[in-house]
Amino acid sequence: MSKGKAPKGTFRTEIPFELNNGLIIIKVKLNGSDKEFEFMVDSGAPASVIFKEAFEASKAETVMTYGVSDSQGNKTQSAYVLLDVTIGNSIFKDIFTAYSADPNEFITCIAPGGIIGADLMQTANWEIDFVHKKLIISDLKSSLPDLAGYQKVSFTKRSPFGNLPWLNVLPGLTVDLKVNDQVFKDVYIDLGSSGSITLPKNEVTAKLFEHDLKEVLTGYSTFGLLGAEMDTTFYYYSPNIYMGLLNLNNHSIDISNHNQSLIGTAIFSDYSMIIDFRKKDLYFKPIGAAEKKSTDEKELGFHLLYDSKSATCYVANIYEGSSAALAGLQLTDTIVEINQQQLPVFTDFCEFRSWSRQMISQDQLLIKTKRDDELIRIEKGIIPKR
């Protein structure tokens, strides 16, 4: 398998992006077509991924079949294709891309075309401007912009798939992270995660946080390409977090049965960010006083999901001790009515997602479940720590 190719010689392309659910979405063209598709920029995905509509439009031919896994550890067999991907005025050739015919609906609402992975990203340097929502992509030999005010953090390109020679062209970007003087090696820079910091649930993290208060969330908390797994996630707030010399204090750390440690866009969106793949350096410049989630912010304490196949809306997760939990709402409860109105008929998961975000933003909800005909009144409250 050959490595993807950036445009020859000196190049520079500047494009806008959107933030959807905190993730970077750009428009690309495939295999010379004029049709645009929305792709997510995901440095945590070693290979790029294409979904059904974009795959069919690209007319790409399968070059091999191999296993693919997502951030939740879900695995499947996937066809791989070679794509020419046009971003702005630049064409990236022979991008090794996994075809996912049936990805998680949550992902396709955010990026219906697919995912730009680290395999394409490593062929160029990337400037990510979260203030003006623009990307500048340039060749590896061109000079970087003025770095005054930036903090440098070196990274390592590490394959998540081991040391097979042909797989090493599928990189992950990893750094060292220090939390309360405990060093975590090989923490992935994951632009495909909208969270802050995720660390695995093990003896090291159990000892590190054994005396700290935490929020406890049971249910589905994160989603990978192929779905989500039920888990209990602990959320801590540490006053002592460093990536190199960069201070990441006041961000949450979630501890879950996650196979990899990672840092997501809730961290990076506080900065102007440059990825120098030639020298393997990251640069971060604060973009102002970032608004952090207050630890005493009032919330309903639960989230909803929707199964489009059965047209069922259900409780996806609940915070322990929250208003929802105290009111009697239970994990996986099927929702029949909200505010004394039957749930609408959703045309797809994307329509449900828009509706559910409006529901959860309200200060109070009256909910009827299939399990219990009694109305459950839930008011926003502070999520307790234990």
Side-chain angles (χ1 to χ4, degrees):
M1 184 192 69
S2 62
K3 184 177 176 180
K5 305 176 186 70
K8 292 182 179 180
T10 300
F11 69 90
R12 183 182 186 276
T13 187
E14 181 176 323
I15 61 168
F17 68 81
E18 295 182 0
L19 283 176
N20 191 333
N21 205 63
L23 302 171
I24 299 171
I25 308 300
I26 63 174
K27 293 182 178 180
V28 309
K29 299 175 183 178
L30 305 171
N31 288 351
S33 170
D34 288 332
K35 185 173 182 178
E36 291 185 323
F37 293 93
E38 292 183 325
F39 274 59
M40 175 171 65
V41 176
D42 183 0
S43 60
S48 297
V49 183
I50 188 171
F51 301 148
K52 185 175 181 179
E53 182 183 356
F55 172 75
E56 292 176 348
S58 73
K59 297 181 171 57
E61 295 184 1
T62 300
V63 294
M64 67 177 294
T65 301
Y66 200 77
V68 62
S69 61
D70 67 7
S71 61
Q72 306 304 300
N74 300 303
K75 298 179 180 180
T76 188
Q77 288 293 116
S78 177
Y80 283 82
V81 300
L82 291 179
L83 289 178
D84 290 349
V85 181
T86 301
I87 304 177
N89 56 12
S90 299
I91 302 176
F92 296 81
K93 292 183 174 294
D94 296 336
I95 303 304
F96 189 63
T97 305
Y99 168 47
S100 180
D102 189 27
N104 173 20
E105 289 180 302
F106 181 82
I107 300 295
T108 55
C109 280
I110 295 172
I115 294 169
I116 298 296
D119 57 330
L120 185 153
M121 293 183 70
Q122 71 172 341
T123 65
N125 289 332
W126 296 65
E127 300 174 44
I128 307 174
D129 183 344
F130 283 98
V131 175
H132 302 101
K133 295 183 181 177
K134 68 178 181 180
L135 284 177
I136 299 175
I137 308 170
S138 59
D139 61 278
L140 294 173
K141 293 183 179 180
S142 290
S143 299
L144 297 177
D146 182 6
L147 297 175
Y150 281 85
Q151 176 70 55
K152 183 175 80 171
V153 179
S154 295
F155 68 85
T156 300
K157 289 202 295 185
R158 177 176 179 269
S159 169
F161 299 130
N163 296 315
L164 294 176
W166 74 270
L167 286 175
N168 283 341
V169 302
L170 304 180
L173 287 66
T174 67
V175 297
D176 291 347
L177 186 72
K178 186 164 71 172
V179 181
N180 298 345
D181 295 325
Q182 173 68 51
V183 176
F184 293 89
K185 309 288 286 187
D186 297 325
V187 179
Y188 281 87
I189 301 297
D190 191 357
L191 294 173
S193 167
S194 59
S196 295
I197 299 168
T198 298
L199 297 175
K201 194 182 294 181
N202 56 29
E203 292 181 1
V204 174
T205 52
K207 183 176 181 180
L208 182 63
F209 296 109
E210 63 181 333
H211 301 301
D212 293 7
L213 294 175
K214 58 186 177 292
E215 296 173 359
V216 181
L217 180 69
T218 301
Y220 300 107
S221 59
T222 58
F223 295 83
L225 172 65
L226 304 174
E229 298 293 331
M230 201 72 87
D231 194 7
T232 297
T233 304
F234 303 137
Y235 292 90
Y236 296 91
Y237 292 86
S238 173
N240 188 11
I241 310 172
Y242 286 88
M243 179 173 57
L245 297 177
L246 188 66
N247 186 320
L248 304 180
N249 295 353
N250 300 319
H251 280 281
S252 67
I253 300 173
D254 66 85
I255 309 296
S256 62
N257 290 322
H258 201 286
N259 293 329
Q260 296 173 342
S261 302
L262 57 88
I263 306 171
T265 56
I267 297 281
F268 303 129
S269 59
D270 290 347
Y271 302 89
S272 291
M273 178 180 180
I274 298 172
I275 308 176
D276 181 350
F277 274 99
R278 182 168 69 92
K279 295 185 177 180
K280 300 179 184 176
D281 289 325
L282 301 166
Y283 295 90
F284 298 95
K285 182 178 182 180
I287 59 177
E291 291 186 9
K292 304 290 192 303
K293 175 188 172 182
S294 170
T295 56
D296 60 357
E297 182 179 345
K298 291 185 177 181
E299 299 182 26
L300 294 170
F302 75 102
H303 294 92
L304 299 173
L305 270 182
Y306 181 71
D307 183 350
S308 58
K309 293 180 180 177
S310 63
T312 301
C313 176
Y314 60 94
V315 177
N317 56 49
I318 300 182
Y319 279 97
E320 185 179 284
S322 66
S323 299
L326 295 176
L329 198 64
Q330 296 181 16
L331 190 64
T332 71
D333 267 345
T334 298
I335 306 301
V336 177
E337 293 180 1
I338 291 185
N339 293 341
Q340 298 182 308
Q341 302 214 353
Q342 289 189 335
L343 268 63
V345 176
F346 303 107
T347 57
D348 54 27
F349 184 86
C350 301
E351 185 180 7
F352 160 77
R353 180 170 170 264
S354 176
W355 170 87
S356 66
R357 293 174 83 173
Q358 292 179 343
M359 290 297 103
I360 295 300
S361 69
Q362 298 185 36
D363 292 330
Q364 175 181 285
L365 293 177
L366 286 173
I367 293 179
K368 182 184 286 188
T369 69
K370 190 174 181 179
R371 175 179 54 83
D372 190 348
D373 278 341
E374 295 295 322
L375 286 175
I376 300 174
R377 183 184 301 273
I378 303 173
E379 298 181 355
K380 282 190 173 179
I382 296 172
I383 304 297
K385 297 178 176 62
R386 67 169 174 84

